[in-house]
Amino acid sequence: LASATGHEIGSLLADLHRSGLTLVLVTHNPDIAARYAERTVELVDGRLADNGLAPSSAPVRFEVSR
């Protein structure tokens, strides 16, 4: 996305989140994820590399349906 368009979309998503919606954003750009997300989850080669929780937090269970 162009910078201006990306900012507009980010603002729209932030507004939707503030209204109470839970959003899932998938991006290859970690800067965008850091800018707009409260929590990020990182996948590397299809595997969970970072679940966005502090190391002492309980593990997160993910299920993938195919």
Side-chain angles (χ1 to χ4, degrees):
L1 294 174
S3 182
T5 304
H7 180 69
E8 288 179 29
I9 292 172
S11 294
L12 174 63
L13 294 175
D15 289 344
L16 290 170
H17 180 67
R18 280 191 290 277
S19 75
L21 290 176
T22 298
L23 303 169
V24 176
L25 172 69
V26 178
T27 180
H28 289 273
N29 186 328
D31 294 331
I32 289 175
R35 184 178 309 135
Y36 294 108
E38 290 180 7
R39 176 178 170 205
T40 61
V41 175
E42 183 180 359
L43 300 176
V44 174
D45 296 330
R47 295 184 178 269
L48 182 64
D50 183 356
N51 68 10
L53 298 173
S56 62
S57 298
V60 176
R61 182 171 177 224
F62 290 93
E63 293 184 19
V64 177
S65 299
R66 294 181 190 229

